[in-house]
Amino acid sequence: MSKTSPVVDIAQLRGWIGREAIGVDIVSEDLVRKYHATFNFPGEPPKPGEAVPPLIHFCLAQPAVPTEQLGADGHLARGGFLPPVPLPRRMWAGGALAFHGDLKVNDAVKRFSRIEDVVLKEGRTGALCFVTARHRLEANGRLVLEERQDIVYRGLDAPARVTNVPQAEQGDHQRPMKVEPPLLFRYSALTFNSHRIHYDRRYATQVEGYPGLVVHAPMQAALLCNYATELRGAPPSRFIFRGLFPLFDDDGFALHATDQGDMLKLWTAKENGPACLAAEASWT
């Protein structure tokens, strides 16, 4: 596995700023049923006309290109909507969501997407390229969601497992969790995400150098947002999240939450280890 960092032509990549895409989908009963089963929600799935869980939109209006057009990492070949960043490791770094209404079963959805920024930075272990996309989601013509999505690209020089980091604090509310390969596979299938780090252990460990399968950042965000909804009895109006350290399928971890007035501070954390994804949920 070569660890030679490729040259990043930031001027070329910034030419993607302003690029737009539109996707359409249906919040089908079948998708809702499978999403409900994947996350072990209690009771029956929502019925036609009823509200669905807040982050199910990650499953909607995803690009569907022929398999032969996928890159070596299983993602779409670079250079379409997203710029062709040559750094091999690609991760969802975080996001911010403002909810303006509920998505409901059988809603017709249209997603408007735009590349907002492309920035190159030099980290302690080499180049980091950040791509920011904005999404606007409409259901039957009404605005339901505005989202900022942050993606980070990095070279193979960066260590895949971080050591000697502070142990996470304990939340006022805690829920032990374990994520095993069947859950990762199901979530990848629901989101039509073929990134091999989430299901191909040989690729994840031998090519990208991770110690195991990588737990999706948006799935961790969904777990925390569902937990916030459960704790407060209603989905939040705003939700932001940021990846801190990678989480792997052999890691025991827990969901944590601490009350801060009208807001909940939330995070996932490994057992006796660091926080992996931090979030804030608010209802104002």
Side-chain angles (χ1 to χ4, degrees):
M1 178 174 61
S2 172
K3 292 193 175 184
T4 301
S5 296
V7 175
V8 179
D9 185 346
I10 188 61
Q12 177 208 13
L13 299 178
R14 286 183 64 80
W16 258 253
I17 295 174
R19 185 163 294 208
E20 297 180 337
I22 297 176
V24 296
D25 211 333
I26 300 291
V27 187
S28 69
E29 294 180 63
D30 183 60
L31 169 63
V32 173
R33 176 176 60 85
K34 291 173 180 175
Y35 194 85
H36 194 274
T38 296
F39 283 100
N40 296 310
F41 291 129
E44 295 296 318
K47 296 178 173 57
E50 295 181 346
V52 295
L55 298 192
I56 197 173
H57 76 283
F58 288 149
C59 305
L60 298 170
Q62 296 302 317
V65 302
T67 303
E68 65 182 12
Q69 294 181 20
L70 297 176
D73 61 359
H75 260 312
L76 307 181
R78 306 182 188 204
F81 172 66
L82 291 172
V85 180
L87 299 171
R89 286 199 187 128
R90 174 174 9 186
M91 302 287 285
W92 195 321
L97 303 104
F99 300 95
H100 301 283
D102 292 327
L103 273 178
K104 299 177 181 179
V105 180
N106 288 340
D107 274 349
V109 169
K110 182 175 285 189
R111 186 179 71 176
F112 302 88
S113 302
R114 183 178 186 275
I115 299 298
E116 181 177 84
D117 203 4
V118 182
V119 177
L120 183 66
K121 298 182 179 180
E122 191 67 25
R124 288 178 296 175
T125 56
L128 299 171
C129 188
F130 293 88
V131 176
T132 301
R134 291 277 181 179
H135 306 291
R136 174 186 173 93
L137 208 72
E138 295 183 356
N140 302 327
R142 59 186 172 86
L143 176 64
V144 293
L145 173 66
E146 292 178 291
E147 176 184 4
R148 189 197 75 237
Q149 178 185 0
D150 302 318
I151 304 166
V152 63
Y153 300 77
R154 63 181 64 203
L156 295 175
D157 306 83
R161 184 187 285 276
V162 181
T163 58
N164 299 321
V165 293
Q167 183 173 330
E169 62 182 277
Q170 302 295 298
D172 297 336
H173 312 277
Q174 301 178 33
R175 175 167 294 169
M177 300 289 297
K178 183 152 182 71
V179 173
E180 297 181 332
L183 177 57
L184 299 183
F185 168 80
R186 280 185 157 195
Y187 191 76
S188 288
L190 287 173
T191 55
F192 208 60
N193 179 358
S194 51
H195 196 180
R196 293 168 67 178
I197 63 173
H198 302 304
Y199 61 87
D200 184 338
R201 188 176 301 278
R202 185 169 62 178
Y203 174 85
T205 58
Q206 297 182 14
V207 177
E208 297 210 15
Y210 293 112
L213 298 177
V214 179
V215 180
H216 314 67
M219 187 174 76
Q220 294 181 63
L223 289 168
L224 290 175
C225 195
N226 295 336
Y227 194 35
T229 299
E230 178 184 331
L231 289 172
R232 290 293 178 94
S237 57
R238 293 186 179 276
F239 186 80
I240 62 174
F241 65 95
R242 179 170 60 94
L244 302 173
F245 294 104
L247 180 66
F248 303 102
D249 65 316
D250 58 351
D251 290 326
F253 74 105
L255 309 180
H256 294 262
T258 292
D259 295 286
Q260 293 190 341
D262 292 332
M263 183 182 74
L264 271 179
K265 177 183 175 184
L266 304 118
W267 61 100
T268 60
K270 299 182 186 185
E271 291 179 358
N272 303 313
C276 298
L277 186 133
E280 292 180 358
S282 59
W283 285 259
T284 56

